[in-house]
Amino acid sequence: MSQVMIIAEAGVNHNGSLEMAKQLIDAAADAGVDYVKFQTFKADKLVSRDAKMAEYQKTNTGIEESQFDMLRRLELSEEHHHILIDYCRERNVRFFSTAFDLESMELLVKLGVTLGKVPSGEITNKPYLQQMAKSFQDIILSTGMCTMEEVQEAIAVFESEGVSRQRITVLHCNTEYPTPMQDVNLRAMSHIASQCQTEIGYSDHTLGIEVPIAAVALGAVVIEKHFTLDRSLPGPDHRASLEPAELKAMVSAIRNIEAALSGDGIKKPSASEMKNMGIARKSIHLAVSLTEGHTLQLSDFTMMRPGDGISPMRMDELVGRQLKQSFPMHHKLTWNDVL
């Protein structure tokens, strides 16, 4: 299997600070992720002046204001994008960003970004989807709040614009921050795969790292997870994000799961365990001392380690055969011992 793409979602957890954005890139690079992802938007293109905050945003920020006012402080300028792309290159981690409006999409294309990400809130935005199809080579589609019909409709828009399903990865997602475990419905990932005939992945908003690890075991080829420098920082997404040490632990666990899934699927002894057979298994030994010419019966046998003699599975083949010579109790029988 190919390596799972791990996207560390910095999002807006830079709080509008270029220096904090660089520190997030450092943390992502140190954790060993493939991409560090930001969000590209213009507040006045994204929300109306009176759009209200989501409940989780009110809870996580501790204040109530318009989405416009909140997002205006979190915008990254074009100059910021250039600086962050260069810094990602310096730290050997790939830059990625989600465009939330058409103008921002154009900016990312101009900056050389070839992978497009549709956030859950845009999946029913047909003009956005059409432009996404025209702008990027490959597309990741998040499906929070979606029905399967809505997912299929979005894919149909892509296909109408010439994007094949082989270029689309659909991410199962729940947009509550944090997502209650009982609402994850991780098995929906398999439903998406069977219905959409695309690659599948998972965008996670639960607390902790267990669910994305489980998603990899269930076939996710892309994992996206929010992270922050410190969950206690002010802002809408920090509280549902991993801190750097947790991000590193998640990456390590996912790579371990990848290794565990890398076999051919055929049940057989592995190369590393072959040496344990003789130690852990048992052979047929004599339960008592016996004399030459004795006719063997089941009560003469005891099964003991090591397992490098006659297998207990062949004990019936020894019954009725005679010993060539006398043997002490616990002697490990061989085929040369019998007539």
Side-chain angles (χ1 to χ4, degrees), residues 67-216:
Q67 275 199 55
F68 178 84
D69 289 336
M70 176 186 71
L71 293 171
R72 192 63 180 266
R73 295 194 302 273
L74 300 173
E75 288 181 8
L76 292 172
S77 69
E78 181 173 347
E79 181 185 3
H80 289 157
H81 280 74
H82 282 286
I83 293 170
L84 295 178
I85 289 170
D86 288 342
Y87 194 65
C88 282
R89 191 174 295 115
E90 183 180 326
R91 288 305 320 269
N92 198 32
V93 64
R94 282 174 276 189
F95 174 90
F96 189 27
S97 190
T98 300
F100 283 81
D101 55 77
L102 302 185
E103 183 179 315
S104 295
M105 211 181 294
E106 292 173 2
L107 172 60
L108 292 180
V109 172
K110 174 183 173 183
L111 294 172
V113 177
T114 59
L115 179 61
K117 168 70 192 297
V118 179
S120 295
E122 302 299 330
I123 198 168
T124 57
N125 183 350
K126 188 173 183 177
Y128 177 96
L129 298 176
Q130 290 172 324
Q131 187 61 38
M132 177 71 62
K134 295 170 184 174
S135 300
F136 298 102
Q137 294 178 11
D138 296 290
I139 294 170
I140 296 174
L141 178 66
S142 254
T143 60
M145 307 173 290
C146 288
T147 64
M148 183 55 70
E149 290 73 22
E150 288 172 330
V151 177
Q152 293 282 28
E153 286 172 1
I155 292 174
V157 172
F158 290 138
E159 288 186 313
S160 71
E161 297 291 337
V163 179
S164 70
R165 294 187 184 227
Q166 288 69 41
R167 292 167 53 195
I168 302 169
T169 301
V170 180
L171 305 189
H172 178 45
C173 177
N174 182 297
T175 59
E176 181 67 1
Y177 292 69
T179 301
M181 286 295 179
Q182 65 269 21
D183 287 349
V184 171
N185 192 19
L186 198 56
R187 286 185 293 181
M189 228 175 37
S190 299
H191 186 222
I192 292 169
S194 65
Q195 294 295 307
C196 297
Q197 298 297 302
T198 63
E199 296 278 25
I200 53 169
Y202 178 62
S203 179
D204 186 51
H205 299 125
T206 65
L207 299 176
I209 65 175
E210 302 98 323
V211 180
I213 294 167
V216 172

Side-chain angles (χ1 to χ4, degrees), residues 220-239:
V221 299
V222 174
I223 292 293
E224 180 182 78
K225 182 73 172 178
H226 280 265
F227 79 109
T228 178
L229 299 175
D230 186 337
R231 264 193 297 274
S232 67
L233 287 168
D237 295 340
H238 292 286
R239 293 188 187 181

Side-chain angles (χ1 to χ4, degrees), residues 260-317:
L261 291 170
S262 65
D264 59 15
I266 299 171
K267 180 57 186 170
K268 60 187 176 184
S270 71
S272 64
E273 68 179 341
M274 292 289 288
K275 65 184 181 297
N276 298 328
M277 284 186 178
I279 297 170
R281 291 185 174 181
K282 293 180 177 177
S283 302
I284 300 174
H285 291 64
L286 293 180
V288 293
S289 297
L290 297 174
T291 59
E292 180 182 346
H294 177 80
T295 299
L296 292 170
Q297 52 192 336
L298 288 176
S299 60
D300 295 330
F301 303 149
T302 184
M303 310 310 170
M304 303 178 70
R305 293 176 178 176
D308 55 358
I310 300 173
S311 169
M313 298 299 287
R314 301 185 67 182
M315 64 184 185
D316 293 337
E317 298 175 43

